[in-house]
Amino acid sequence: MQTDLLLINVPRISLIYPPAGTSLLKGVVEQQGYTCRVKDANFELLNSIKDPEQFENITNYFTIPNATITSDCAKIVNDWYTSLVDYIVDLDPRYVGISVFTFECQRATRELCERLRKYYKGNIIIGGAGLSTTGIATQINDFGNSLKNAGLVDYYVRGEGEYALVNILKESNGEGINNDRYVQIEDLNSLAFPNYDDVIDYNYHYTIGRTQLPVTTSRGCVRRCSFCDIHAFWKKYTYRSGKNVATEMISHYEKYGVQDFFFTDSLINGSLKSFRDLCAELINYYEQNNLPNAFFTWGGQWIVRTPKQLIPKDYIMAARAGLQGVAMGIESLSEQIRKDMNKGFLNTDLDYTLEQFRQTGINCYFLMIVGYPTETDEHHIETMQQFTKYQGYAIDGTIFGVNLGGTLSIDEGSPLHKDSIHYGLSPTQNDTELFGLDWTSKDNPKLTLLERINRRIELQELLMDLGYTVWNGDHQLKRLKASYERIKQNTYHFKDILHS
């Protein structure tokens, strides 16, 4: 019997846990009576590369525009393409769906489609946030159109793919299919749970040393940060009930024996009712089945709340339910800069949150942005002083890591990009377009890219001296250096990213 749909993950995405999207889509289409397989081709390629230099060369090839590839690495990639195409041709599904998770998956998607078209006679679908050029919210949609117009794909899906993919399998059209008129799904509780059968046995590089499955509890965000493009993609914040989320976690445990979960959404405490209900449902399950507190472990992105919004009891319940590691978009430790960003919390709120985490054994991870357009030397110094103040939390493990990122990037769809004139932002060259790291501020002319990089380096050196763990710090600096050189040479254009 012919398989209806084969879903493929391509480079370059993380290897630390199974991709959530393709397994969710498998559950959705199977709920509608179709057959589906998931193949994580990204993992199969990158996990096979044991030489660090080859791994870096190949990942750079997929993720950095105009990157060169050595002859030995080119052979590895070409052999991978050949094997993947052979697998698809032998399986002969009615449809092949390629997940373009971010724009870093565009090169692999294009090159796979070019090869696939020569041998595979079925229909090719692409979808995902990576249909955008530089961010999830761009309205240009050049990548989907370019592959469709080149005859490399039959369908591209914009927006959420659950309904659109089923419509394609039914051989019908609709919102988001070869057009930008996608409609946001409002009832997330109605969707099927992800089916991880096809990827559960992959040896992912789990950071905790054992199987950890992704769970998505919401879409969108309750806040409107000026640098973020999420609201141009998800117009409103939608979320699942705490009971529905708990039921999914329990079902994965009872099916796969998995006790550890990572929430993929922008924030796990966006709806406080849903969050509290989730904690209560999990604690109730533990008690009914004679299981200890925190039998499941889980974490995800967290927004800092005030003491009135989350009281100490909430943190105690969360710890009992198994909440362990959370990533917080702190961005800056200057209160004024966070106000400019529209972050929505004060230093006193952060102080309170950290102390509650310490008392309940919940640890956290800081996500930072260096070089916001209004950041001055004084704001930068304030951030360094606050990190010095929080050193004790790094020493005792409450703050288990800091991600300094690659300095502020201007993404299409974000308020900074849409209102760039209001913010006084422009590209460094008159004949280029505003995006990414290529920007200057007329109101803060000292904040050049070189100055932002220097502040980024200075902050990393301070954190390392203070005993913080800085995640991927040197790799990010290497990427920054490459971007800086391309901007100087006037070769840093989003069209290069799109079509390279």
Side-chain angles (χ1 to χ4, degrees), residues 374-441:
T374 56
E375 182 185 279
T376 64
D377 286 332
E378 290 73 19
H379 298 131
H380 176 57
I381 292 170
E382 185 182 352
T383 288
M384 292 195 294
Q385 289 173 338
Q386 286 290 109
F387 268 120
T388 303
K389 169 186 170 182
Y390 291 146
Q391 182 184 20
Y393 292 112
I395 293 172
D396 69 17
T398 301
I399 301 175
F400 70 88
V402 178
N403 189 328
L404 294 176
T407 79
L408 178 73
S409 173
I410 306 294
D411 292 335
E412 294 182 72
S414 68
L416 283 179
H417 187 274
K418 291 189 293 185
D419 301 324
S420 57
I421 295 177
H422 169 74
Y423 287 103
L425 303 176
S426 60
T428 55
Q429 305 289 336
N430 291 332
D431 60 342
T432 59
E433 300 185 48
L434 179 68
F435 99 102
L437 305 180
D438 186 13
W439 59 268
T440 59
S441 169

Side-chain angles (χ1 to χ4, degrees), residues 327-387:
M328 297 195 294
I330 304 302
E331 323 307 354
S332 173
L333 290 176
S334 165
E335 213 160 68
Q336 180 58 54
I337 295 302
R338 288 202 308 274
K339 182 178 180 181
D340 294 346
M341 293 176 169
N342 200 28
K343 285 299 297 182
F345 68 90
L346 305 175
N347 284 346
T348 53
D349 300 326
L350 180 56
D351 293 344
Y352 167 77
T353 299
L354 289 173
E355 192 54 32
Q356 293 303 312
F357 284 164
R358 170 183 275 169
Q359 292 180 17
T360 55
I362 300 169
N363 54 27
C364 65
Y365 175 85
F366 278 20
L367 304 173
M368 303 296 294
I369 293 176
V370 176
Y372 189 77
T374 56
E375 182 185 279
T376 64
D377 286 332
E378 290 73 19
H379 298 131
H380 176 57
I381 292 170
E382 185 182 352
T383 288
M384 292 195 294
Q385 289 173 338
Q386 286 290 109
F387 268 120

Side-chain angles (χ1 to χ4, degrees), residues 134-175:
T134 60
I136 67 171
T138 178
Q139 299 301 305
I140 300 174
N141 195 20
D142 283 336
F143 188 68
N145 275 324
S146 68
L147 266 61
K148 179 75 166 60
N149 293 337
L152 296 178
V153 302
D154 300 284
Y155 304 95
Y156 65 83
V157 174
R158 284 277 285 162
E160 297 165 312
E162 291 89 348
Y163 292 169
L165 195 54
V166 171
N167 283 337
I168 290 173
L169 293 174
K170 291 178 178 178
E171 300 183 355
S172 91
N173 296 310
E175 290 88 354

